[in-house]
Amino acid sequence: MSIASSCSRWLSTDTPATRTQARLGATYRFLRRLLRHPIGVAGLVLVGLMVLAALLAPWLPLADPVAQSLGERLMPPSAQHLLGTDTLGRDLLSRVVYGARPTLAIVMMVLLASVPVGLLIGAAAGLWGGWLDAVLMRLSDVFMAFPRLILAIAVAATLSSGLWTAVIAIALTGWPPYARVARAEVVSLRRAEFIQAATALGVSRTRLLLRHALPLCLPSALVRAALDAPGIVLIVSGLGFLGLGLPPPAPEWGAMVAEGRAIVFEAWWVSTLPGLMILMLSLGFNFLGDALRDVVEKK
């Protein structure tokens, strides 16, 4: 088919209404296939329950997560304290639920920072090529050369502890994998017929990047983000375990595990229960990522 005929077909079909209708149809089919995947449903349930509990934590009938009661320290699970208390007598159920909030917030902010940056860099490198491709890919190589956890520890140790410190520390090395995936997909489609038709119509490079290249990278980026989330959870927990996460007395799963490691045989619930929450959240994201990968590959 000639470029002229491709242009005329593209003009007749690429309207806002048809684009919106196509996106809605594709989204509906995508969700329907995902809900038919048992592992995907299990992952959605695990992640959804933790997100719901974290969002509703201030309105749930929970004790104050930072209120201390030394007379009730290290109480085992009971009717008064369903998950027991920690070394300072704080209710462990409340701290476990509230501890999900900073972890999920950091995961969300890291993905919101690293995914768009990685997609823009990778799609621009793949679409435009040349010296820009070489410079951007070498830059991603530099960041990928640093182990994520080691760089996160170095940044968190340099800056003051806090939520934004953890986000910056993890996001610095989070964008290169998305850039690599986006570049590979865009390079394979650079000579596609619809790209040539858009170029023949005089579409600018920026519009090609934002309206054509980036949407093609979104499915694989979504899968990558779901599979990347467990690693972010573990890094956040690792920073908290080392005392580089949120400052005390803020509830944080990694810090809670570190608090109970010395008394794990006397009061197993102090470190075991937040450790199980880390496991379940990571498992939920892994299940969801595996299901998303299967759904995307079957498209």
Side-chain angles (χ1 to χ4, degrees):
M1 183 180 295
S2 64
I3 298 295
S5 59
S6 298
C7 292
S8 60
R9 189 179 65 175
W10 187 81
L11 281 171
S12 62
T13 57
D14 189 63
T15 63
T18 56
R19 286 198 300 267
T20 302
Q21 186 177 4
R23 288 169 185 168
L24 290 176
T27 302
Y28 173 75
R29 291 191 297 270
F30 181 84
L31 292 175
R32 186 175 60 182
R33 286 195 295 268
L34 179 61
L35 293 177
R36 290 178 179 176
H37 201 295
I39 297 297
V41 173
L44 278 175
V45 170
L46 283 174
V47 176
L49 287 176
M50 292 194 183
V51 171
L52 188 63
L55 291 175
L56 298 179
W59 296 278
L60 295 176
L62 298 172
D64 187 346
V66 299
Q68 302 179 13
S69 178
L70 296 180
E72 298 180 344
R73 64 186 301 271
L74 298 181
M75 289 183 61
S78 62
Q80 183 180 0
H81 300 283
L82 295 180
L83 297 183
T85 60
D86 63 5
T87 55
L88 296 176
R90 296 171 295 195
D91 184 75
L92 203 58
L93 173 61
S94 177
R95 289 184 64 79
V96 164
V97 174
Y98 274 89
R101 307 189 80 187
T103 300
L104 290 170
I106 292 173
V107 170
M108 180 189 68
M109 286 189 287
V110 167
L111 291 177
L112 287 177
S114 57
V115 174
V117 171
L119 288 181
L120 280 172
I121 291 176
L127 185 63
W128 297 336
W131 65 268
L132 182 65
D133 182 15
V135 170
L136 293 179
M137 289 303 99
R138 297 301 76 76
L139 180 64
S140 68
D141 290 340
V142 170
F143 280 94
M144 290 184 72
F146 291 96
R148 295 189 70 179
L149 181 58
I150 302 301
L151 185 60
I153 292 173
V155 174
T158 304
L159 303 176
S160 59
S161 59
L163 187 70
W164 289 107
T165 299
V167 173
I168 295 171
I170 302 171
L172 276 176
T173 55
W175 63 268
Y178 300 97
R180 286 289 184 180
V181 173
R183 178 189 178 275
E185 291 191 348
V186 173
V187 165
S188 64
L189 295 170
R190 189 190 299 172
R191 301 301 179 188
E193 191 175 84
F194 72 95
I195 294 291
Q196 295 182 25
T199 304
L201 287 170
V203 177
S204 66
R205 285 188 170 186
T206 303
R207 185 178 177 86
L208 280 176
L209 174 66
L210 298 178
R211 295 294 298 272
H212 298 282
L214 283 180
L216 294 174
C217 305
L218 289 179
S220 58
L222 180 63
V223 175
R224 177 78 195 191
L227 293 174
D228 199 26
I232 300 174
V233 172
L234 294 178
I235 294 176
V236 173
S237 303
L239 292 176
F241 185 86
L242 296 173
L244 301 173
L246 297 181
E252 200 278 321
W253 289 342
M256 294 165 68
V257 173
E259 178 187 353
R261 60 177 173 171
I263 53 172
V264 66
F265 295 107
E266 293 81 9
W268 57 268
W269 56 88
V270 177
S271 59
T272 302
L273 296 175
L276 285 176
M277 297 300 291
I278 297 171
L279 171 65
M280 296 304 292
L281 182 58
S282 301
L283 195 63
F285 278 123
N286 273 321
F287 283 168
L288 186 58
D290 288 340
L292 288 173
R293 181 180 56 196
D294 293 341
V295 171
V296 169
E297 288 178 353
K298 292 179 181 178
K299 289 182 65 176

